[in-house]
Amino acid sequence: MHRSRIGVLLIDHPAGSYDAAAAFWAGVTGTRRSADTTISDDDPYEPLRPLPGTVKLELQRTGAGTPPRVHLDIETDDVPAEVARVEALGARVATRHEGWAVMEDPGGMLFCVVPVQTGADFAAHATTWP
Amino acid sequence: MHRSRIGVLLIDHPAGSYDAAAAFWAGVTGTRRSADTTISDDDPYEPLRPLPGTVKLELQRTGAGTPPRVHLDIETDDVPAEVARVEALGARVATRHEGWAVMEDPGGMLFCVVPVQTGADFAAHATTWP
């Protein structure tokens, strides 16, 4: 017998977009980056604030030609305000839908901003932005 | 003031690899798929077992030419046993490292199998496989 779980989520960016993307995701998650963190080819990792509470996991069947991928949904109680917040951090809207948006981070990676999906876990674990 | 969190993780596969990938990730997470779930272009989503407990979030600076992406790490107390389990579900080893492995799901999406990263959260929330 052995045990396992999906326990770590990594946001990968090549060197050319790493700095902008790292600053962006630190801002999105409210992570204060450590001045002591040194990224090297031998140790190319940098921690962000972990994700507390239960995170939903879903499959999506996408259109032909779409690459297989994992994408993140940011859930929020105010989609326009959150879109504006992440735009100010460096994201851009790719496609705007009724009540939610597909966006790209500064390295061109897709994510979405959506209404609250997790109920009690959102109430317990969401970050309040001024 | 508004609130937000990263609350949903989506595994996207195009129609050509969706069925194999969906069966794979259901097996990886121990999700019993519902016979009532119907996937359509209007509602292309299918739930998997949610991820309980705190999930680590990290940035990784990858090599030039690597696409920006999110990837999942499966943490385990027995890497060879977990690699064999997910191989039996349809994954293949892309590169084998000392103590961990980069793997691909049936649709060619990259993920890793790594030793335990989350300590108490692993102990509390990992699934035991026979």
Side-chain angles (χ1 to χ4, degrees), chain A residues 2-5 11-12 46 51 55 58-59 69 71 75-76 82 126 129, chain B residues 2-4 11-12 46 51 55 58-59 69 71 75-77 82 126 129:
Chain A
H2 75 283
R3 308 187 77 196
S4 74
R5 73 188 280 257
I11 298 175
D12 300 339
E46 179 176 345
L51 307 180
V55 172
E58 292 188 353
L59 296 158
R69 68 182 166 221
H71 83 261
E75 59 175 340
T76 176
E82 182 68 359
W129 308 104
Chain B
H2 75 283
R3 311 186 76 195
S4 75
I11 298 175
D12 300 340
E46 179 176 343
L51 307 180
V55 171
E58 293 188 351
L59 297 158
R69 69 183 165 219
H71 84 259
E75 58 175 340
T76 178
D77 55 10
E82 183 68 359
W129 308 105

PDB file of all heavy atoms in Angstrom, chain A residues 2-5 11-12 46 51 55 58-59 69 71 75-76 82 126 129, chain B residues 2-4 11-12 46 51 55 58-59 69 71 75-77 82 126 129:
ATOM      1  N   HIS A   2       0.423   2.258  -0.740  1.00  0.00           N
ATOM      2  CA  HIS A   2       1.111   3.545  -0.674  1.00  0.00           C
ATOM      3  C   HIS A   2       0.061   4.638  -0.762  1.00  0.00           C
ATOM      4  O   HIS A   2      -1.120   4.367  -0.979  1.00  0.00           O
ATOM      5  CB  HIS A   2       2.157   3.672  -1.797  1.00  0.00           C
ATOM      6  CG  HIS A   2       1.588   3.922  -3.152  1.00  0.00           C
ATOM      7  ND1 HIS A   2       1.004   2.946  -3.915  1.00  0.00           N
ATOM      8  CD2 HIS A   2       1.482   5.060  -3.901  1.00  0.00           C
ATOM      9  CE1 HIS A   2       0.590   3.453  -5.059  1.00  0.00           C
ATOM     10  NE2 HIS A   2       0.867   4.749  -5.080  1.00  0.00           N
ATOM     11  N   ARG A   3       0.493   5.881  -0.564  1.00  0.00           N
ATOM     12  CA  ARG A   3      -0.442   6.998  -0.535  1.00  0.00           C
ATOM     13  C   ARG A   3      -0.004   8.054  -1.551  1.00  0.00           C
ATOM     14  O   ARG A   3       1.183   8.179  -1.865  1.00  0.00           O
ATOM     15  CB  ARG A   3      -0.492   7.640   0.863  1.00  0.00           C
ATOM     16  CG  ARG A   3      -0.739   6.640   1.988  1.00  0.00           C
ATOM     17  CD  ARG A   3      -0.952   7.362   3.316  1.00  0.00           C
ATOM     18  NE  ARG A   3      -2.300   7.929   3.366  1.00  0.00           N
ATOM     19  CZ  ARG A   3      -2.711   8.862   4.233  1.00  0.00           C
ATOM     20  NH1 ARG A   3      -1.847   9.360   5.111  1.00  0.00           N
ATOM     21  NH2 ARG A   3      -3.948   9.309   4.211  1.00  0.00           N
ATOM     22  N   SER A   4      -0.958   8.850  -2.033  1.00  0.00           N
ATOM     23  CA  SER A   4      -0.613   9.982  -2.902  1.00  0.00           C
ATOM     24  C   SER A   4      -1.720  11.017  -2.876  1.00  0.00           C
ATOM     25  O   SER A   4      -2.853  10.730  -2.460  1.00  0.00           O
ATOM     26  CB  SER A   4      -0.361   9.523  -4.354  1.00  0.00           C
ATOM     27  OG  SER A   4      -1.568   9.203  -5.015  1.00  0.00           O
ATOM     28  N   ARG A   5      -1.373  12.217  -3.305  1.00  0.00           N
ATOM     29  CA  ARG A   5      -2.359  13.293  -3.512  1.00  0.00           C
ATOM     30  C   ARG A   5      -1.761  14.313  -4.476  1.00  0.00           C
ATOM     31  O   ARG A   5      -0.533  14.405  -4.613  1.00  0.00           O
ATOM     32  CB  ARG A   5      -2.754  13.988  -2.199  1.00  0.00           C
ATOM     33  CG  ARG A   5      -1.688  14.907  -1.612  1.00  0.00           C
ATOM     34  CD  ARG A   5      -2.028  15.434  -0.215  1.00  0.00           C
ATOM     35  NE  ARG A   5      -2.953  16.545  -0.193  1.00  0.00           N
ATOM     36  CZ  ARG A   5      -2.624  17.837   0.012  1.00  0.00           C
ATOM     37  NH1 ARG A   5      -1.338  18.214   0.173  1.00  0.00           N
ATOM     38  NH2 ARG A   5      -3.529  18.760   0.066  1.00  0.00           N
ATOM     39  N   ILE A  11       3.555  27.034 -11.450  1.00  0.00           N
ATOM     40  CA  ILE A  11       3.353  27.969 -12.555  1.00  0.00           C
ATOM     41  C   ILE A  11       4.714  28.138 -13.218  1.00  0.00           C
ATOM     42  O   ILE A  11       5.638  28.686 -12.622  1.00  0.00           O
ATOM     43  CB  ILE A  11       2.799  29.315 -12.044  1.00  0.00           C
ATOM     44  CG1 ILE A  11       1.429  29.100 -11.382  1.00  0.00           C
ATOM     45  CG2 ILE A  11       2.707  30.320 -13.197  1.00  0.00           C
ATOM     46  CD1 ILE A  11       0.843  30.347 -10.732  1.00  0.00           C
ATOM     47  N   ASP A  12       4.829  27.621 -14.446  1.00  0.00           N
ATOM     48  CA  ASP A  12       6.114  27.568 -15.158  1.00  0.00           C
ATOM     49  C   ASP A  12       6.185  28.678 -16.192  1.00  0.00           C
ATOM     50  O   ASP A  12       5.287  28.811 -17.033  1.00  0.00           O
ATOM     51  CB  ASP A  12       6.254  26.242 -15.912  1.00  0.00           C
ATOM     52  CG  ASP A  12       6.208  25.014 -15.001  1.00  0.00           C
ATOM     53  OD1 ASP A  12       6.459  25.160 -13.794  1.00  0.00           O
ATOM     54  OD2 ASP A  12       5.943  23.921 -15.527  1.00  0.00           O
ATOM     55  N   GLU A  46      10.333  29.072  -6.695  1.00  0.00           N
ATOM     56  CA  GLU A  46      10.064  30.194  -5.790  1.00  0.00           C
ATOM     57  C   GLU A  46       8.666  29.984  -5.222  1.00  0.00           C
ATOM     58  O   GLU A  46       7.706  29.837  -5.982  1.00  0.00           O
ATOM     59  CB  GLU A  46      10.131  31.504  -6.594  1.00  0.00           C
ATOM     60  CG  GLU A  46       9.843  32.725  -5.787  1.00  0.00           C
ATOM     61  CD  GLU A  46      10.003  34.028  -6.591  1.00  0.00           C
ATOM     62  OE1 GLU A  46      10.608  34.030  -7.687  1.00  0.00           O
ATOM     63  OE2 GLU A  46       9.492  35.056  -6.100  1.00  0.00           O
ATOM     64  N   LEU A  51      -2.390  27.471  -1.254  1.00  0.00           N
ATOM     65  CA  LEU A  51      -3.832  27.576  -1.461  1.00  0.00           C
ATOM     66  C   LEU A  51      -4.546  26.838  -0.335  1.00  0.00           C
ATOM     67  O   LEU A  51      -4.557  25.605  -0.312  1.00  0.00           O
ATOM     68  CB  LEU A  51      -4.220  26.954  -2.797  1.00  0.00           C
ATOM     69  CG  LEU A  51      -3.472  27.464  -4.032  1.00  0.00           C
ATOM     70  CD1 LEU A  51      -3.982  26.743  -5.281  1.00  0.00           C
ATOM     71  CD2 LEU A  51      -3.623  28.963  -4.178  1.00  0.00           C
ATOM     72  N   VAL A  55      -9.873  23.110  -2.961  1.00  0.00           N
ATOM     73  CA  VAL A  55      -9.861  23.643  -4.323  1.00  0.00           C
ATOM     74  C   VAL A  55     -10.633  22.668  -5.210  1.00  0.00           C
ATOM     75  O   VAL A  55     -10.405  21.453  -5.145  1.00  0.00           O
ATOM     76  CB  VAL A  55      -8.412  23.814  -4.823  1.00  0.00           C
ATOM     77  CG1 VAL A  55      -8.370  24.169  -6.297  1.00  0.00           C
ATOM     78  CG2 VAL A  55      -7.686  24.870  -3.981  1.00  0.00           C
ATOM     79  N   GLU A  58     -11.729  20.152 -11.962  1.00  0.00           N
ATOM     80  CA  GLU A  58     -12.681  19.813 -13.011  1.00  0.00           C
ATOM     81  C   GLU A  58     -11.944  19.481 -14.303  1.00  0.00           C
ATOM     82  O   GLU A  58     -10.864  20.011 -14.577  1.00  0.00           O
ATOM     83  CB  GLU A  58     -13.616  21.004 -13.302  1.00  0.00           C
ATOM     84  CG  GLU A  58     -14.559  21.326 -12.178  1.00  0.00           C
ATOM     85  CD  GLU A  58     -15.594  22.385 -12.559  1.00  0.00           C
ATOM     86  OE1 GLU A  58     -15.492  22.967 -13.658  1.00  0.00           O
ATOM     87  OE2 GLU A  58     -16.483  22.631 -11.740  1.00  0.00           O
ATOM     88  N   LEU A  59     -12.589  18.642 -15.099  1.00  0.00           N
ATOM     89  CA  LEU A  59     -12.156  18.403 -16.468  1.00  0.00           C
ATOM     90  C   LEU A  59     -12.931  19.319 -17.387  1.00  0.00           C
ATOM     91  O   LEU A  59     -14.096  19.636 -17.128  1.00  0.00           O
ATOM     92  CB  LEU A  59     -12.461  16.951 -16.863  1.00  0.00           C
ATOM     93  CG  LEU A  59     -11.723  15.873 -16.070  1.00  0.00           C
ATOM     94  CD1 LEU A  59     -12.471  14.548 -16.154  1.00  0.00           C
ATOM     95  CD2 LEU A  59     -10.297  15.717 -16.587  1.00  0.00           C
ATOM     96  N   ARG A  69      -3.845  21.165 -21.269  1.00  0.00           N
ATOM     97  CA  ARG A  69      -3.262  22.115 -20.315  1.00  0.00           C
ATOM     98  C   ARG A  69      -4.040  22.065 -19.007  1.00  0.00           C
ATOM     99  O   ARG A  69      -5.159  21.557 -18.951  1.00  0.00           O
ATOM    100  CB  ARG A  69      -3.316  23.542 -20.871  1.00  0.00           C
ATOM    101  CG  ARG A  69      -4.722  24.056 -20.961  1.00  0.00           C
ATOM    102  CD  ARG A  69      -4.868  25.465 -21.546  1.00  0.00           C
ATOM    103  NE  ARG A  69      -6.275  25.665 -21.862  1.00  0.00           N
ATOM    104  CZ  ARG A  69      -6.751  26.263 -22.953  1.00  0.00           C
ATOM    105  NH1 ARG A  69      -5.927  26.767 -23.841  1.00  0.00           N
ATOM    106  NH2 ARG A  69      -8.044  26.374 -23.142  1.00  0.00           N
ATOM    107  N   HIS A  71      -5.490  24.933 -16.345  1.00  0.00           N
ATOM    108  CA  HIS A  71      -5.614  26.381 -16.129  1.00  0.00           C
ATOM    109  C   HIS A  71      -6.277  26.672 -14.787  1.00  0.00           C
ATOM    110  O   HIS A  71      -6.995  25.836 -14.232  1.00  0.00           O
ATOM    111  CB  HIS A  71      -6.293  27.089 -17.307  1.00  0.00           C
ATOM    112  CG  HIS A  71      -7.789  27.062 -17.299  1.00  0.00           C
ATOM    113  ND1 HIS A  71      -8.528  26.179 -18.035  1.00  0.00           N
ATOM    114  CD2 HIS A  71      -8.691  27.849 -16.658  1.00  0.00           C
ATOM    115  CE1 HIS A  71      -9.820  26.400 -17.853  1.00  0.00           C
ATOM    116  NE2 HIS A  71      -9.955  27.408 -17.008  1.00  0.00           N
ATOM    117  N   GLU A  75     -11.716  32.767  -8.434  1.00  0.00           N
ATOM    118  CA  GLU A  75     -13.126  33.045  -8.123  1.00  0.00           C
ATOM    119  C   GLU A  75     -13.197  34.314  -7.269  1.00  0.00           C
ATOM    120  O   GLU A  75     -12.310  34.579  -6.459  1.00  0.00           O
ATOM    121  CB  GLU A  75     -13.770  31.866  -7.399  1.00  0.00           C
ATOM    122  CG  GLU A  75     -13.092  31.486  -6.103  1.00  0.00           C
ATOM    123  CD  GLU A  75     -13.821  30.387  -5.330  1.00  0.00           C
ATOM    124  OE1 GLU A  75     -15.024  30.156  -5.558  1.00  0.00           O
ATOM    125  OE2 GLU A  75     -13.167  29.776  -4.454  1.00  0.00           O
ATOM    126  N   THR A  76     -14.271  35.083  -7.466  1.00  0.00           N
ATOM    127  CA  THR A  76     -14.369  36.384  -6.793  1.00  0.00           C
ATOM    128  C   THR A  76     -15.830  36.786  -6.605  1.00  0.00           C
ATOM    129  O   THR A  76     -16.695  36.357  -7.375  1.00  0.00           O
ATOM    130  CB  THR A  76     -13.634  37.465  -7.621  1.00  0.00           C
ATOM    131  OG1 THR A  76     -13.814  38.744  -6.987  1.00  0.00           O
ATOM    132  CG2 THR A  76     -14.175  37.558  -9.052  1.00  0.00           C
ATOM    133  N   GLU A  82     -12.192  42.395  -9.836  1.00  0.00           N
ATOM    134  CA  GLU A  82     -11.037  41.487  -9.872  1.00  0.00           C
ATOM    135  C   GLU A  82     -10.333  41.561 -11.220  1.00  0.00           C
ATOM    136  O   GLU A  82      -9.097  41.538 -11.289  1.00  0.00           O
ATOM    137  CB  GLU A  82     -11.477  40.054  -9.556  1.00  0.00           C
ATOM    138  CG  GLU A  82     -10.344  39.036  -9.513  1.00  0.00           C
ATOM    139  CD  GLU A  82      -9.360  39.213  -8.346  1.00  0.00           C
ATOM    140  OE1 GLU A  82      -9.507  40.152  -7.536  1.00  0.00           O
ATOM    141  OE2 GLU A  82      -8.409  38.403  -8.269  1.00  0.00           O
ATOM    142  N   ALA A 126     -10.943  33.309   1.049  1.00  0.00           N
ATOM    143  CA  ALA A 126     -10.642  34.353   0.062  1.00  0.00           C
ATOM    144  C   ALA A 126      -9.893  35.509   0.721  1.00  0.00           C
ATOM    145  O   ALA A 126     -10.043  35.762   1.922  1.00  0.00           O
ATOM    146  CB  ALA A 126     -11.919  34.848  -0.587  1.00  0.00           C
ATOM    147  N   TRP A 129      -9.375  42.471  -0.866  1.00  0.00           N
ATOM    148  CA  TRP A 129      -8.507  43.487  -1.485  1.00  0.00           C
ATOM    149  C   TRP A 129      -9.107  44.860  -1.255  1.00  0.00           C
ATOM    150  O   TRP A 129     -10.313  45.034  -1.396  1.00  0.00           O
ATOM    151  CB  TRP A 129      -8.373  43.224  -2.985  1.00  0.00           C
ATOM    152  CG  TRP A 129      -7.957  41.812  -3.284  1.00  0.00           C
ATOM    153  CD1 TRP A 129      -8.741  40.806  -3.748  1.00  0.00           C
ATOM    154  CD2 TRP A 129      -6.647  41.241  -3.097  1.00  0.00           C
ATOM    155  NE1 TRP A 129      -8.014  39.645  -3.871  1.00  0.00           N
ATOM    156  CE2 TRP A 129      -6.728  39.884  -3.478  1.00  0.00           C
ATOM    157  CE3 TRP A 129      -5.422  41.746  -2.645  1.00  0.00           C
ATOM    158  CZ2 TRP A 129      -5.621  39.021  -3.417  1.00  0.00           C
ATOM    159  CZ3 TRP A 129      -4.332  40.887  -2.588  1.00  0.00           C
ATOM    160  CH2 TRP A 129      -4.433  39.553  -2.970  1.00  0.00           C
TER     161      TRP A 129
ATOM    162  N   HIS B   2     -13.291  43.999  -2.396  1.00  0.00           N
ATOM    163  CA  HIS B   2     -13.836  42.741  -2.903  1.00  0.00           C
ATOM    164  C   HIS B   2     -12.893  41.625  -2.478  1.00  0.00           C
ATOM    165  O   HIS B   2     -11.822  41.876  -1.931  1.00  0.00           O
ATOM    166  CB  HIS B   2     -14.025  42.782  -4.429  1.00  0.00           C
ATOM    167  CG  HIS B   2     -12.749  42.668  -5.219  1.00  0.00           C
ATOM    168  ND1 HIS B   2     -11.865  43.713  -5.374  1.00  0.00           N
ATOM    169  CD2 HIS B   2     -12.205  41.626  -5.892  1.00  0.00           C
ATOM    170  CE1 HIS B   2     -10.840  43.318  -6.119  1.00  0.00           C
ATOM    171  NE2 HIS B   2     -11.015  42.052  -6.440  1.00  0.00           N
ATOM    172  N   ARG B   3     -13.296  40.377  -2.728  1.00  0.00           N
ATOM    173  CA  ARG B   3     -12.522  39.221  -2.303  1.00  0.00           C
ATOM    174  C   ARG B   3     -12.246  38.308  -3.497  1.00  0.00           C
ATOM    175  O   ARG B   3     -13.018  38.287  -4.462  1.00  0.00           O
ATOM    176  CB  ARG B   3     -13.269  38.420  -1.222  1.00  0.00           C
ATOM    177  CG  ARG B   3     -13.802  39.265  -0.073  1.00  0.00           C
ATOM    178  CD  ARG B   3     -14.397  38.379   1.014  1.00  0.00           C
ATOM    179  NE  ARG B   3     -13.329  37.746   1.787  1.00  0.00           N
ATOM    180  CZ  ARG B   3     -13.494  36.711   2.621  1.00  0.00           C
ATOM    181  NH1 ARG B   3     -14.683  36.159   2.756  1.00  0.00           N
ATOM    182  NH2 ARG B   3     -12.471  36.214   3.293  1.00  0.00           N
ATOM    183  N   SER B   4     -11.165  37.558  -3.420  1.00  0.00           N
ATOM    184  CA  SER B   4     -10.886  36.563  -4.455  1.00  0.00           C
ATOM    185  C   SER B   4      -9.964  35.486  -3.910  1.00  0.00           C
ATOM    186  O   SER B   4      -9.300  35.666  -2.889  1.00  0.00           O
ATOM    187  CB  SER B   4     -10.263  37.202  -5.705  1.00  0.00           C
ATOM    188  OG  SER B   4      -8.908  37.553  -5.490  1.00  0.00           O
ATOM    189  N   ILE B  11      -8.520  20.852 -15.836  1.00  0.00           N
ATOM    190  CA  ILE B  11      -7.670  20.054 -16.718  1.00  0.00           C
ATOM    191  C   ILE B  11      -8.365  20.014 -18.070  1.00  0.00           C
ATOM    192  O   ILE B  11      -9.439  19.435 -18.206  1.00  0.00           O
ATOM    193  CB  ILE B  11      -7.466  18.641 -16.150  1.00  0.00           C
ATOM    194  CG1 ILE B  11      -6.763  18.720 -14.788  1.00  0.00           C
ATOM    195  CG2 ILE B  11      -6.668  17.783 -17.140  1.00  0.00           C
ATOM    196  CD1 ILE B  11      -6.624  17.383 -14.074  1.00  0.00           C
ATOM    197  N   ASP B  12      -7.776  20.701 -19.045  1.00  0.00           N
ATOM    198  CA  ASP B  12      -8.388  20.888 -20.370  1.00  0.00           C
ATOM    199  C   ASP B  12      -7.782  19.915 -21.375  1.00  0.00           C
ATOM    200  O   ASP B  12      -6.547  19.859 -21.520  1.00  0.00           O
ATOM    201  CB  ASP B  12      -8.109  22.301 -20.896  1.00  0.00           C
ATOM    202  CG  ASP B  12      -8.658  23.393 -19.989  1.00  0.00           C
ATOM    203  OD1 ASP B  12      -9.549  23.109 -19.182  1.00  0.00           O
ATOM    204  OD2 ASP B  12      -8.174  24.545 -20.106  1.00  0.00           O
ATOM    205  N   GLU B  46     -16.701  18.521 -16.293  1.00  0.00           N
ATOM    206  CA  GLU B  46     -16.976  17.288 -15.555  1.00  0.00           C
ATOM    207  C   GLU B  46     -16.199  17.366 -14.244  1.00  0.00           C
ATOM    208  O   GLU B  46     -14.989  17.565 -14.264  1.00  0.00           O
ATOM    209  CB  GLU B  46     -16.501  16.093 -16.399  1.00  0.00           C
ATOM    210  CG  GLU B  46     -16.709  14.763 -15.727  1.00  0.00           C
ATOM    211  CD  GLU B  46     -16.317  13.566 -16.614  1.00  0.00           C
ATOM    212  OE1 GLU B  46     -16.178  13.729 -17.852  1.00  0.00           O
ATOM    213  OE2 GLU B  46     -16.145  12.485 -16.051  1.00  0.00           O
ATOM    214  N   LEU B  51      -9.738  18.942  -4.257  1.00  0.00           N
ATOM    215  CA  LEU B  51      -8.450  18.799  -3.583  1.00  0.00           C
ATOM    216  C   LEU B  51      -8.560  19.360  -2.170  1.00  0.00           C
ATOM    217  O   LEU B  51      -8.612  20.580  -1.994  1.00  0.00           O
ATOM    218  CB  LEU B  51      -7.361  19.559  -4.342  1.00  0.00           C
ATOM    219  CG  LEU B  51      -7.220  19.231  -5.829  1.00  0.00           C
ATOM    220  CD1 LEU B  51      -6.104  20.072  -6.444  1.00  0.00           C
ATOM    221  CD2 LEU B  51      -6.957  17.748  -6.041  1.00  0.00           C
ATOM    222  N   VAL B  55      -2.861  23.166  -0.646  1.00  0.00           N
ATOM    223  CA  VAL B  55      -2.050  22.795  -1.808  1.00  0.00           C
ATOM    224  C   VAL B  55      -0.935  23.835  -1.945  1.00  0.00           C
ATOM    225  O   VAL B  55      -1.194  25.046  -1.880  1.00  0.00           O
ATOM    226  CB  VAL B  55      -2.922  22.748  -3.083  1.00  0.00           C
ATOM    227  CG1 VAL B  55      -2.071  22.589  -4.334  1.00  0.00           C
ATOM    228  CG2 VAL B  55      -3.945  21.615  -2.983  1.00  0.00           C
ATOM    229  N   GLU B  58       3.825  27.116  -6.381  1.00  0.00           N
ATOM    230  CA  GLU B  58       5.205  27.543  -6.621  1.00  0.00           C
ATOM    231  C   GLU B  58       5.361  28.058  -8.035  1.00  0.00           C
ATOM    232  O   GLU B  58       4.675  27.622  -8.953  1.00  0.00           O
ATOM    233  CB  GLU B  58       6.183  26.357  -6.436  1.00  0.00           C
ATOM    234  CG  GLU B  58       6.285  25.869  -5.024  1.00  0.00           C
ATOM    235  CD  GLU B  58       7.390  24.832  -4.840  1.00  0.00           C
ATOM    236  OE1 GLU B  58       7.968  24.373  -5.853  1.00  0.00           O
ATOM    237  OE2 GLU B  58       7.678  24.489  -3.680  1.00  0.00           O
ATOM    238  N   LEU B  59       6.301  28.971  -8.199  1.00  0.00           N
ATOM    239  CA  LEU B  59       6.754  29.397  -9.511  1.00  0.00           C
ATOM    240  C   LEU B  59       7.959  28.566  -9.907  1.00  0.00           C
ATOM    241  O   LEU B  59       8.764  28.191  -9.055  1.00  0.00           O
ATOM    242  CB  LEU B  59       7.166  30.874  -9.470  1.00  0.00           C
ATOM    243  CG  LEU B  59       6.058  31.873  -9.142  1.00  0.00           C
ATOM    244  CD1 LEU B  59       6.663  33.169  -8.616  1.00  0.00           C
ATOM    245  CD2 LEU B  59       5.213  32.140 -10.375  1.00  0.00           C
ATOM    246  N   ARG B  69       2.991  27.572 -18.584  1.00  0.00           N
ATOM    247  CA  ARG B  69       1.990  26.529 -18.277  1.00  0.00           C
ATOM    248  C   ARG B  69       1.858  26.397 -16.766  1.00  0.00           C
ATOM    249  O   ARG B  69       2.705  26.866 -16.003  1.00  0.00           O
ATOM    250  CB  ARG B  69       2.424  25.189 -18.870  1.00  0.00           C
ATOM    251  CG  ARG B  69       3.618  24.609 -18.176  1.00  0.00           C
ATOM    252  CD  ARG B  69       4.153  23.300 -18.759  1.00  0.00           C
ATOM    253  NE  ARG B  69       5.492  23.105 -18.187  1.00  0.00           N
ATOM    254  CZ  ARG B  69       6.540  22.624 -18.839  1.00  0.00           C
ATOM    255  NH1 ARG B  69       6.440  22.245 -20.095  1.00  0.00           N
ATOM    256  NH2 ARG B  69       7.709  22.523 -18.232  1.00  0.00           N
ATOM    257  N   HIS B  71       1.562  23.175 -14.142  1.00  0.00           N
ATOM    258  CA  HIS B  71       1.587  21.709 -14.073  1.00  0.00           C
ATOM    259  C   HIS B  71       1.349  21.234 -12.645  1.00  0.00           C
ATOM    260  O   HIS B  71       1.558  21.974 -11.679  1.00  0.00           O
ATOM    261  CB  HIS B  71       2.867  21.128 -14.701  1.00  0.00           C
ATOM    262  CG  HIS B  71       4.077  21.081 -13.818  1.00  0.00           C
ATOM    263  ND1 HIS B  71       5.100  21.999 -13.879  1.00  0.00           N
ATOM    264  CD2 HIS B  71       4.446  20.192 -12.855  1.00  0.00           C
ATOM    265  CE1 HIS B  71       6.043  21.685 -13.004  1.00  0.00           C
ATOM    266  NE2 HIS B  71       5.668  20.600 -12.364  1.00  0.00           N
ATOM    267  N   GLU B  75       2.232  14.164  -5.121  1.00  0.00           N
ATOM    268  CA  GLU B  75       3.196  13.808  -4.079  1.00  0.00           C
ATOM    269  C   GLU B  75       2.809  12.443  -3.509  1.00  0.00           C
ATOM    270  O   GLU B  75       1.623  12.106  -3.422  1.00  0.00           O
ATOM    271  CB  GLU B  75       3.237  14.869  -2.974  1.00  0.00           C
ATOM    272  CG  GLU B  75       1.901  15.115  -2.301  1.00  0.00           C
ATOM    273  CD  GLU B  75       1.988  16.072  -1.124  1.00  0.00           C
ATOM    274  OE1 GLU B  75       3.077  16.276  -0.578  1.00  0.00           O
ATOM    275  OE2 GLU B  75       0.927  16.613  -0.738  1.00  0.00           O
ATOM    276  N   THR B  76       3.819  11.672  -3.128  1.00  0.00           N
ATOM    277  CA  THR B  76       3.566  10.294  -2.703  1.00  0.00           C
ATOM    278  C   THR B  76       4.640   9.820  -1.731  1.00  0.00           C
ATOM    279  O   THR B  76       5.772  10.311  -1.763  1.00  0.00           O
ATOM    280  CB  THR B  76       3.521   9.346  -3.927  1.00  0.00           C
ATOM    281  OG1 THR B  76       3.317   8.003  -3.468  1.00  0.00           O
ATOM    282  CG2 THR B  76       4.816   9.405  -4.733  1.00  0.00           C
ATOM    283  N   ASP B  77       4.269   8.852  -0.901  1.00  0.00           N
ATOM    284  CA  ASP B  77       5.255   8.254   0.009  1.00  0.00           C
ATOM    285  C   ASP B  77       5.989   7.086  -0.639  1.00  0.00           C
ATOM    286  O   ASP B  77       6.826   6.448   0.006  1.00  0.00           O
ATOM    287  CB  ASP B  77       4.595   7.843   1.336  1.00  0.00           C
ATOM    288  CG  ASP B  77       3.406   6.907   1.154  1.00  0.00           C
ATOM    289  OD1 ASP B  77       3.188   6.418   0.024  1.00  0.00           O
ATOM    290  OD2 ASP B  77       2.672   6.678   2.138  1.00  0.00           O
ATOM    291  N   GLU B  82       3.839   4.781  -7.131  1.00  0.00           N
ATOM    292  CA  GLU B  82       2.897   5.733  -7.729  1.00  0.00           C
ATOM    293  C   GLU B  82       3.138   5.863  -9.235  1.00  0.00           C
ATOM    294  O   GLU B  82       2.184   5.946 -10.012  1.00  0.00           O
ATOM    295  CB  GLU B  82       3.004   7.100  -7.040  1.00  0.00           C
ATOM    296  CG  GLU B  82       2.015   8.142  -7.543  1.00  0.00           C
ATOM    297  CD  GLU B  82       0.544   7.860  -7.217  1.00  0.00           C
ATOM    298  OE1 GLU B  82       0.232   6.817  -6.601  1.00  0.00           O
ATOM    299  OE2 GLU B  82      -0.298   8.694  -7.608  1.00  0.00           O
ATOM    300  N   ALA B 126      -3.963  12.536   1.928  1.00  0.00           N
ATOM    301  CA  ALA B 126      -3.583  11.626   0.834  1.00  0.00           C
ATOM    302  C   ALA B 126      -4.531  10.428   0.781  1.00  0.00           C
ATOM    303  O   ALA B 126      -5.109  10.021   1.791  1.00  0.00           O
ATOM    304  CB  ALA B 126      -2.141  11.160   1.009  1.00  0.00           C
ATOM    305  N   TRP B 129      -3.706   3.738  -1.657  1.00  0.00           N
ATOM    306  CA  TRP B 129      -3.992   2.838  -2.784  1.00  0.00           C
ATOM    307  C   TRP B 129      -3.593   1.426  -2.413  1.00  0.00           C
ATOM    308  O   TRP B 129      -2.528   1.221  -1.836  1.00  0.00           O
ATOM    309  CB  TRP B 129      -3.227   3.299  -4.035  1.00  0.00           C
ATOM    310  CG  TRP B 129      -3.458   4.745  -4.344  1.00  0.00           C
ATOM    311  CD1 TRP B 129      -2.585   5.768  -4.126  1.00  0.00           C
ATOM    312  CD2 TRP B 129      -4.644   5.336  -4.887  1.00  0.00           C
ATOM    313  NE1 TRP B 129      -3.163   6.968  -4.514  1.00  0.00           N
ATOM    314  CE2 TRP B 129      -4.425   6.725  -4.981  1.00  0.00           C
ATOM    315  CE3 TRP B 129      -5.877   4.830  -5.311  1.00  0.00           C
ATOM    316  CZ2 TRP B 129      -5.386   7.610  -5.479  1.00  0.00           C
ATOM    317  CZ3 TRP B 129      -6.831   5.707  -5.800  1.00  0.00           C
ATOM    318  CH2 TRP B 129      -6.583   7.083  -5.880  1.00  0.00           C
TER     319      TRP B 129
END
